[in-house]
Amino acid sequence: MMINRSQISQNTPQITHTEMPWYVSSLMLLSGLISGFFLISIFSILLAGMLHSFGILISFAIAMTAISFWLFRYSDRITLHHIQIFISSLGFSIGMAGLVYWFLSINELLLTASQTAGILLLIQILLTLIMPNFIYRLISSLLGIGCLLFLLYQYHALEVSLGLLALFASICSLQSDELISYLPNKYQPYAKRLNHVLTYAITFALLTISAYFIVSEQTLYALYGFDDVNPFAQTLVKQGLLIVASLYASWLILRRYGISLLSHTGLLISTAVIIIGLLSLYVSGLLATCLVIVMAFANKQRVLLGLAIFALVSYIFWYYYQLDSSLLVKSGSMLIIGLALLLLRWYLLRRYVLHQYLPLHHTANTHLTTKKNKGKQQ
């Protein structure tokens, strides 16, 4: 029996590459950063003495951004995957060099630190909205979040950063589908791609700023001259806002399954969130990482789940080996946390899991007993 090749090509499903694997994206990110550094070095050597002008720097920034945008759009039309990756990497490296020239051009205006951060924040928002590349958008959104955190620091409001990032992460991870559904149908795919980038960027920033507070929580305000600020009061404000954002995320997850926050299950989860938040006063980063783990597990995001678990283990190690208190006190606190978690696990198994199998077990035993009685009667 002869088989026509045209029939095979028609019946064979076409493989489309909608998203690169994370390891390819990581290599592309590394190569883009290195290539961008070399591009900046080459232009700095060739045009030494001319790069101190705002006009020339802004021209380089606009030109490189435009070239990067065109390469990204052109790579989407290419069917060969390896050529598509090469052109995307080239566009990403040129785009990274363009980001540096954006910063250098704004720096030439000799503005204040707050004004510079505000202008860079607006530029990063615009680039995140326009550039059609996941990695470029991720880097640009991370830079924008960094500018926002710097502005909060400049206005002595850094303690609201954890709660703000947790709230944004909850909305992007758990409420984005509901908000995107209000948009017209033609804009929904674009909004979903943009939300995917923001979810990763905000989650990574949340874990990073948690680590920042862990490292510098005791000396942050004294180091920068804020001697009139009570660090413990700032910690209470920071953890209080984080607890409120975590309760909001819990309400969003419970709403998926039709469970009220005031029900028995909702009150139990809310109590657990508050307890973990109070424990985070001594073990910083505990509630933030637990929140990311729960959201990543609810959305089946394995990359964020692995990143959050790694961050949680790192935070616990840091808490155990820092020198602010004795190892005996730390061991006792970790023992109490472990016992509390085991007790909570036992209660959940007894209250929910076992009750699901007891009716089945009772039905099976009833069926066997009925069969035995019928056999005895016969």
Side-chain angles (χ1 to χ4, degrees):
M1 180 178 179
M2 300 298 293
I3 300 176
N4 193 359
R5 292 186 178 180
S6 61
Q7 296 178 355
I8 296 177
S9 60
Q10 292 175 0
N11 296 328
T12 303
Q14 298 295 326
I15 300 175
T16 58
H17 301 278
T18 57
E19 185 176 353
M20 289 183 293
W22 65 270
Y23 48 86
V24 178
S25 301
S26 302
L27 292 177
M28 179 178 170
L29 172 62
L30 181 61
S31 63
L33 293 176
I34 296 175
S35 303
F37 173 76
F38 281 117
L39 283 175
I40 296 170
S41 302
I42 291 173
F43 284 119
S44 299
I45 293 173
L46 294 178
L47 302 175
M50 299 177 60
L51 294 179
H52 296 288
S53 172
F54 172 77
I56 294 178
L57 288 173
I58 199 69
S59 301
F60 269 94
I62 295 174
M64 289 187 173
T65 304
I67 293 173
S68 177
F69 176 81
W70 181 81
L71 289 174
F72 287 147
R73 294 296 298 270
Y74 179 71
S75 65
D76 293 336
R77 305 173 186 174
I78 299 176
T79 57
L80 296 178
H81 191 48
H82 60 282
I83 299 179
Q84 182 183 12
I85 293 177
F86 172 76
I87 295 178
S88 298
S89 302
L90 181 62
F92 180 70
S93 61
I94 296 175
M96 288 296 101
L99 284 177
V100 175
Y101 281 111
W102 279 112
F103 175 77
L104 294 176
S105 61
I106 301 301
N107 192 43
E108 286 295 324
L109 296 177
L110 300 178
L111 302 174
T112 62
S114 300
Q115 292 173 345
T116 302
I119 295 175
L120 288 176
L121 175 60
L122 295 177
I123 292 174
Q124 299 308 321
I125 292 174
L126 183 62
L127 293 177
T128 303
L129 294 174
I130 292 177
M131 301 300 286
N133 182 265
F134 174 79
I135 304 178
Y136 187 97
R137 280 176 168 171
L138 181 63
I139 298 296
S140 183
S141 56
L142 283 174
L143 292 175
I145 294 172
C147 294
L148 177 62
L149 295 176
F150 181 78
L151 288 174
L152 292 176
Y153 163 73
Q154 286 290 319
Y155 291 102
H156 300 180
L158 190 60
E159 63 275 2
V160 305
S161 57
L162 276 179
L164 193 63
L165 289 175
L167 179 62
F168 289 161
S170 302
I171 294 174
C172 292
S173 299
L174 305 174
Q175 205 177 7
S176 58
D177 293 336
E178 178 184 354
L179 298 177
I180 291 174
S181 63
Y182 293 108
L183 297 175
N185 292 330
K186 61 179 181 179
Y187 296 119
Q188 289 185 7
Y190 168 78
K192 289 180 180 179
R193 291 193 299 269
L194 187 62
N195 177 74
H196 184 61
V197 174
L198 293 178
T199 301
Y200 276 83
I202 295 173
T203 304
F204 183 77
L206 177 61
L207 296 176
T208 305
I209 197 67
S210 299
Y212 174 76
F213 277 114
I214 289 173
V215 174
S216 59
E217 192 171 40
Q218 302 297 328
T219 59
L220 177 64
Y221 298 100
L223 181 63
Y224 292 101
F226 303 152
D227 297 329
D228 55 338
V229 177
N230 187 359
F232 185 73
Q234 298 294 334
T235 303
L236 286 177
V237 173
K238 177 191 68 177
Q239 289 300 130
L241 295 175
L242 185 58
I243 290 174
V244 172
S246 301
L247 289 175
Y248 180 72
S250 302
W251 174 72
L252 291 176
I253 295 176
L254 291 173
R255 194 179 61 168
R256 285 186 179 183
Y257 303 99
I259 302 174
S260 174
L261 189 63
L262 299 178
S263 63
H264 185 270
T265 304
L267 291 176
L268 180 64
I269 293 176
S270 301
T271 304
V273 169
I274 294 173
I275 292 175
I276 295 176
L278 294 177
L279 291 175
S280 296
L281 292 173
Y282 304 97
V283 188
S284 298
L286 183 62
L287 180 58
T289 50
C290 290
L291 175 63
V292 175
I293 289 173
V294 171
M295 292 190 301
F297 187 81
N299 293 333
K300 298 180 180 179
Q301 296 171 326
R302 292 179 294 177
V303 176
L304 292 181
L305 181 62
L307 183 63
I309 293 175
F310 175 77
L312 179 61
V313 174
S314 302
Y315 296 166
I316 293 175
F317 268 100
W318 177 265
Y319 166 73
Y320 188 76
Y321 287 106
Q322 63 181 344
L323 301 177
D324 61 340
S325 59
S326 63
L327 293 178
L328 181 61
V329 175
K330 296 174 183 177
S331 300
S333 62
M334 294 181 69
L335 177 62
I336 294 174
I337 294 173
L339 292 176
L341 292 176
L342 288 175
L343 182 63
L344 180 61
R345 180 181 182 273
W346 171 82
Y347 176 77
L348 291 175
L349 289 175
R350 183 179 179 85
R351 178 67 175 81
Y352 297 100
V353 179
L354 293 180
H355 281 272
Q356 295 178 0
Y357 294 100
L358 282 177
L360 299 176
H361 183 67
H362 178 70
T363 304
N365 288 337
T366 305
H367 182 67
L368 290 175
T369 305
T370 305
K371 290 181 65 177
K372 288 180 181 180
N373 293 332
K374 288 182 178 181
K376 289 180 180 180
Q377 291 178 1
Q378 292 177 356

